[in-house]
Amino acid sequence: MVRYKNLGGDSGVAGYELGFDYIIVVFIGSKKPYRWSYNKAGQQHVENMKQLAESGHGLNNYIMTRVKKLYD
């Protein structure tokens, strides 16, 4: 698990793990990992989330506004 950089300073994301066709996200204050995959959320969403995770900015907002309920 990679610690999320949180460059904006107000993210709810604590960390993430990237796979070929998925991203796993852990939120601050929770130990439960959430997994978004190509199969459930779609390739474009997962790839967007991977880019945001690696950039350290915007991932929490993206999840809350676009893919909140599309996790596996």
Side-chain angles (χ1 to χ4, degrees):
M1 186 74 49
V2 177
R3 184 179 176 143
Y4 185 63
K5 292 177 189 171
N6 190 14
L7 297 177
D10 60 352
S11 180
V13 175
Y16 64 92
E17 179 180 320
L18 304 180
F20 174 76
D21 62 349
Y22 67 87
I23 181 172
I24 297 172
V25 176
V26 174
F27 294 93
I28 295 170
S30 174
K31 293 183 181 181
K32 178 182 177 182
Y34 290 86
R35 182 180 188 270
W36 284 268
S37 68
Y38 284 5
N39 188 44
K40 181 84 182 235
Q43 181 178 355
Q44 191 61 54
H45 281 308
V46 172
E47 291 302 318
N48 289 343
M49 292 170 69
K50 286 180 180 182
Q51 289 179 352
L52 293 168
E54 290 183 319
S55 76
H57 185 71
L59 181 57
N60 190 66
N61 183 59
Y62 190 93
I63 290 170
M64 294 304 157
T65 60
R66 298 193 176 137
V67 296
K68 185 176 181 176
K69 296 185 180 185
L70 297 178
Y71 61 89
D72 294 330

